[in-house]
Structures are given as structure tokens and as C-alpha cells.
Amino acid sequence: MKLDRIIYLVLFAVLLFSCQPEDEFVAPHTLVEKIQASVDKNNVLHIQIDFKFRKPATAEVSYWKLSDPVNKKSVSNAYASEANAQTLHILFLEESTKYEFEVKVRSGKAWTTTQKYQFTTSSLPTNVPRYTIDENRLKAPLGGYILTQQREKPGTITMINEEGKVVWYYFSNAFMTSSNYNPKYQTITCTTGNSLGREGRSVFVIDLLGNLVFNKLGTELARELVHHDAKMLDDGTIAVISQVPEQFDLSSVGGASDQTVVGEGINIYDLQGKSLWDWSCFDERNPIDDPAIVEGIESTGASRVNDWLHANSVSEDQDGNLLISFLNDSEIWKINRETRKIMWRLGEKGDLEINGLNTPMSGVHSVYIDKAGKLSFLDNGMANKESRFMKFDIDETAKKANVLMQTAFPKEHASRFMANAEEIDDRYLLFGSSTTKKILVTDREGQLVWLCTAPHTLYRANFVKHADIEQYNNQK
């Protein structure tokens, strides 16, 4: 039974269990009037199942590959009240694959299980990227998927498994610049637009079903020039990095008396697009104090006045304050949300004493705080062409930054720009190498165990745990 359009599965009087009053098993037709399954119009790997019950009930769908019946998965509205109609969604399927499913329905103490049904997923649309696994020495499954993005126009967000198979995707007509997953809200926050111009800059948020939760062009936001990153925060608001042009008199250092300097700012928006909070790098730092402000940026040759600091990621610390990383000065700042003051700056010219660092950081990206409260990020290694995963313990009282990890990735996969690195678990690290179009899994010493080639430039590769997506139906 092929699900390439809409399938109507009408349950008649099929008795799978003998009616045993003490267990309250009932025939399927006693509880179920109709089951309708359909393929989502925007994602052939998304199956929607609609139920119509004869009395208020809940449903749980168990499904499995026909070739692997032991590995069963299930979706349910576990926290939903009994109702006469419900909808469930099966996501994270593989293309051109035969599946089988059955449904358990419960109404009060009465319950039943339907007959088994089969469907075959369609092949992926031709514009969904295909990924190649170059090496796979994993000894056990990773326990999740890898989220990445096609940094092109139009762009695609994808999730892939260890075999490199796409199990989820979303199309965007805009130039994709970043994406990241929020496990609490089960949403993906994205930025779009070429940073060389104003056209197409936007922020949008989608849920796992592909529904838009937030969608604003830069021109609809308090600051138009959305730049590189946006994150949904713990309270459900959205922190967005934007470029902030401001005029300064730089004539005393070789610039113009009305020189426009492009700095960076952060805004926090509610889901209606209202700015609730804002901050600018110019609040505390004056570009005239930067001796290199009128010089070219060493890594790119671009003028610093047009891209002074180049922020590339924002995230939330456990205390609710914000972290922001900068490429040009290889620094990470912590911003106090209440006072809008810089709490500390990590970097060669920062105000934290760094202990245990082998070589200076040279370009940093994708800062985040892990569950243990440790500062983690990617050091691009522009100077020595060696990218590293970095982890620090920050002692804010003593103003010290102690290195906990500085794992170098294989040099041939170093990424001078963009990119990210993060811990998957206590065994593995994940490295999204943007400039080489590679996604790596290594052990904690940086030894390669899994290598994937993407057919496109990517900005990041983030790990999404199965445990953080398995209950997506419960939010509906």
C-alpha cells in the first residue's frame, strides 16, 4: 500500500482479540470509526494519521521498517485528553522504504489494537541534498541525528542519520545562513540573507512538523541587518544578532570625521516580533580605542570599519545572561541582561586570566554552555590552520578561565571561517567543517571515527538527541 497521496484506512469489524470482560479488550470497530493517513505536502518523510473515534479515546501508533520488525518506534498523544478525534505524526523516516504500523486505542478501561498496515515512503525530491559517508568506525549508534543547513539560495535544512540518509528536511526560498535546534520547545531557529547585502535577511522559527512559529524579515524587526545567528532562549523569546552601523569621528586615527563603523548588537524579540531588550557593542566600547580600526582585517583583508568585530553566535548562560562570540578579535563576551554591561571578555586581549592554553585562539565560533555549566566553542585556528574544540571552566569571581579541553581536529579538515564543534556525549565530538564541506565525529582526542561529505557549504552541524525529539506529538 503506497502512501504517495492520501490513503483512507476504514476499519470494519475486525476482531483481533477475544472479548474478555476482565481485561476489557474490545474489537477495533467498537472504538475506531476511521483512520486516515496522508503524506505531508512539504515533506515526503512525514506521515500524518488522523483518527475518528466512536467514543472519546487516545491513540498510540507503533511502526517499524518491514525489514527490521524488532526495532519498533511509537508516537502518541500521551498527555492528551480522550477525544472523538486526534492526529498523530510519524517523522524521521527514510526514503523509498517499506514500513508497517498498528494502532493501540484506549477509551477509559477499554482498549484495542488494530490490524497491521503497510506503507512505502516516496523517494526524496531532487533538490534535497545527498550526503556521502567516507568513513564509519562507530562502534555503536550515536543516539540522535545531525542537523545541518544548505548555505545557498534556495536553502534546505536537513537531519541525517549515521548512514548519511536524510530523515527530515525543510525547504527555504531564502539564502540559509544558520539553523539550530531547541530541545525544550522542539523548534529550529534559522537566519537567512547574504551578509554582503541587505536583501533577504530574516529570522524564522519552525517546529518539527514544518509549521512557522516566527517569521520576520529584517525590515520588520527593530534592527534590519540580521547577522549570522538567532537562538530561542529558555523563556521562549528569541535572541538575534544584528549588524549595527554607527558614525564616529575617526579623523585622529586616519579615518573620516563622520566614519560609519559597522558593529554588532543583540535584540531579544517576543514571538510577535516586538523588541523586548537590546544591546550594542558601542554601549561600552568605542572604535577609536582600537588601534587597528582603520586597518584591514588580517584574515580577510576587509576594512575593519565595515566589519569591526564580526559576531557569529549568541547563546544563553545558565544564569540567563548572554554570551556572544567574535571572529575578528577571537573573543567571547558575557553580557549582563539587567545592566547591559560586559561581565567579562575571554581572549588574548580580554580581561580573564587564561590558564592551560597551548596556543592562542585564532577565530572563534559557536559558543554555548554545556549542561555542566562549562563554556564550549570552536577555535577556528586561522593562524595555524588547525581547528579545535575548546572547553573552559570560568571562575567569574577570580576572573580566571581554566582550560578543560582543547581537542584539535585533523588538520586537513580545518575550517578557517564559520563552522562549529560540540560534544555529542562523553565519547564523541561533532565538528561541522564549513569550508571543507565535511562533518566529522571524533573521539575526545580528535581521532576520526566518522566522516561525512556534504554537497554544499554548511554553517554548522548540530547533534539532536533522539530523546529530544521523540515526544514531538505531545505539543499538538
Side-chain angles (χ1 to χ4, degrees):
M1 183 183 304
K2 187 158 177 87
L3 268 179
D4 45 14
R5 289 295 181 268
I6 296 179
I7 301 171
Y8 291 90
L9 303 173
V10 182
L11 296 180
F12 300 104
V14 180
L15 184 60
L16 294 181
F17 297 93
S18 299
C19 228
Q20 302 175 30
E22 67 270 24
D23 295 326
E24 295 195 75
F25 293 150
V26 297
H29 77 282
T30 305
L31 296 180
V32 182
E33 181 177 331
K34 185 169 69 173
I35 298 177
Q36 174 184 318
S38 59
V39 181
D40 184 83
K41 64 180 180 180
N42 296 316
N43 187 341
V44 301
L45 305 180
H46 172 184
I47 304 300
Q48 176 174 310
I49 305 179
D50 297 298
F51 300 93
K52 188 174 182 182
F53 304 124
R54 297 189 185 278
K55 58 183 69 175
T58 58
E60 179 181 6
V61 175
S62 295
Y63 64 100
W64 55 91
K65 290 181 185 179
L66 204 59
S67 61
D68 186 14
V70 176
N71 186 18
K72 291 186 177 183
K73 299 179 181 179
S74 63
V75 292
S76 67
N77 289 89
Y79 305 117
S81 300
E82 292 184 348
N84 290 322
Q86 288 190 356
T87 298
L88 292 177
H89 302 266
I90 301 178
L91 304 180
F92 310 109
L93 301 170
E94 296 178 14
E95 67 167 330
S96 306
T97 302
K98 289 183 178 181
Y99 288 87
E100 195 165 53
F101 75 94
E102 63 184 5
V103 185
K104 179 182 286 187
V105 180
R106 177 174 292 278
S107 178
K109 294 183 178 180
W111 68 277
T112 190
T113 301
T114 70
Q115 68 187 67
K116 295 179 175 65
Y117 299 93
Q118 292 184 7
F119 65 86
T120 302
T121 53
S122 302
S123 58
L124 289 170
T126 56
N127 50 344
V128 175
R130 304 283 178 162
Y131 299 84
T132 304
I133 303 302
D134 303 308
E135 283 192 55
N136 187 352
R137 298 198 296 273
L138 292 169
K139 295 180 180 179
L142 291 174
Y145 303 122
I146 295 172
L147 170 73
T148 190
Q149 61 294 126
Q150 182 180 15
R151 203 170 184 274
E152 298 172 6
K153 181 182 179 180
T156 310
I157 309 165
T158 56
M159 288 194 205
I160 63 173
N161 60 20
E162 296 99 329
E163 299 173 16
K165 294 179 180 179
V166 173
V167 296
W168 187 95
Y169 65 91
Y170 181 89
F171 290 125
S172 171
N173 290 324
F175 185 99
M176 288 296 306
T177 51
S178 73
S179 64
N180 58 83
Y181 182 69
N182 184 297
K184 179 178 180 179
Y185 295 99
Q186 298 184 318
T187 54
I188 299 173
T189 304
C190 311
T191 60
T192 72
N194 192 323
S195 61
L196 299 178
R198 293 174 179 263
E199 183 181 355
R201 298 203 195 190
S202 75
V203 179
F204 69 89
V205 181
I206 54 173
D207 63 21
L208 290 173
L209 304 181
N211 301 311
L212 280 166
V213 176
F214 180 92
N215 186 24
K216 295 291 182 182
L217 292 171
T219 52
E220 300 176 279
L221 297 174
R223 285 177 173 146
E224 176 183 353
L225 300 177
V226 174
H227 187 220
H228 273 327
D229 200 21
K231 294 273 174 59
M232 185 167 277
L233 304 179
D234 190 62
D235 62 2
T237 57
I238 305 167
V240 179
I241 294 177
S242 295
Q243 291 175 313
V244 181
E246 203 164 304
Q247 285 194 339
F248 293 86
D249 181 357
L250 299 184
S251 56
S252 62
V253 292
S257 59
D258 57 351
Q259 183 74 61
T260 297
V261 178
V262 180
E264 306 285 348
I266 305 171
N267 284 72
I268 296 177
Y269 297 97
D270 64 19
L271 292 183
Q272 287 69 51
K274 178 183 178 182
S275 179
L276 306 175
W277 184 91
D278 64 85
W279 171 87
S280 166
C281 65
F282 298 126
D283 292 345
E284 284 199 79
R285 292 195 66 191
N286 191 322
I288 200 170
D289 297 326
D290 181 353
I293 185 62
V294 296
E295 298 176 6
I297 301 168
E298 183 179 353
S299 60
T300 64
S303 171
R304 286 184 71 88
V305 296
N306 294 327
D307 188 16
W308 182 27
L309 300 170
H310 195 97
N312 51 49
S313 73
V314 62
S315 65
E316 187 174 18
D317 202 343
Q318 291 180 333
D319 58 11
N321 295 311
L322 298 180
L323 299 161
I324 184 169
S325 58
F326 298 100
L327 176 69
N328 291 347
D329 286 346
S330 303
E331 289 190 356
I332 294 169
W333 299 358
K334 183 171 179 177
I335 311 300
N336 187 301
R337 282 175 67 173
E338 183 176 347
T339 65
R340 291 176 169 78
K341 297 291 185 180
I342 299 172
M343 298 174 65
W344 49 255
R345 291 168 48 202
L346 173 67
E348 192 173 2
K349 299 178 182 178
D351 55 10
L352 294 180
E353 177 188 323
I354 301 176
N355 299 308
L357 187 63
N358 292 337
T359 57
M361 299 179 299
S362 180
V364 295
H365 269 88
S366 195
V367 62
Y368 72 97
I369 294 291
D370 69 13
K371 289 185 177 180
K374 307 308 179 185
L375 183 76
S376 305
F377 58 92
L378 174 75
D379 168 27
N380 291 87
M382 293 187 296
N384 60 0
K385 299 180 181 179
E386 184 176 68
S387 300
R388 297 180 294 177
F389 170 75
M390 307 295 298
K391 182 192 281 193
F392 283 82
D393 178 44
I394 305 296
D395 186 334
E396 295 185 346
T397 303
K399 286 283 189 176
K400 292 183 178 181
N402 300 310
V403 175
L404 300 177
M405 285 184 69
Q406 46 188 327
T407 301
F409 297 109
K411 272 199 166 186
E412 63 269 27
H413 301 302
S415 186
R416 294 190 67 209
F417 310 113
M418 302 182 287
N420 76 300
E422 61 186 44
E423 289 179 280
I424 292 177
D425 52 28
D426 58 5
R427 301 169 299 165
Y428 298 129
L429 302 176
L430 177 66
F431 174 35
S433 177
S434 302
T435 55
T436 66
K437 302 181 182 180
K438 302 286 186 180
I439 303 172
L440 290 73
V441 174
T442 74
D443 63 20
R444 298 177 75 80
E445 285 70 48
Q447 296 299 309
L448 186 67
V449 295
W450 187 88
L451 179 65
C452 173
T453 297
H456 54 76
T457 300
L458 54 125
Y459 190 60
R460 293 185 185 132
N462 298 113
F463 189 69
V464 180
K465 294 181 180 179
H466 287 155
D468 290 333
I469 58 176
E470 61 186 7
Q471 293 300 324
Y472 53 84
N473 280 290
N474 291 335
Q475 62 184 352
K476 297 299 165 192

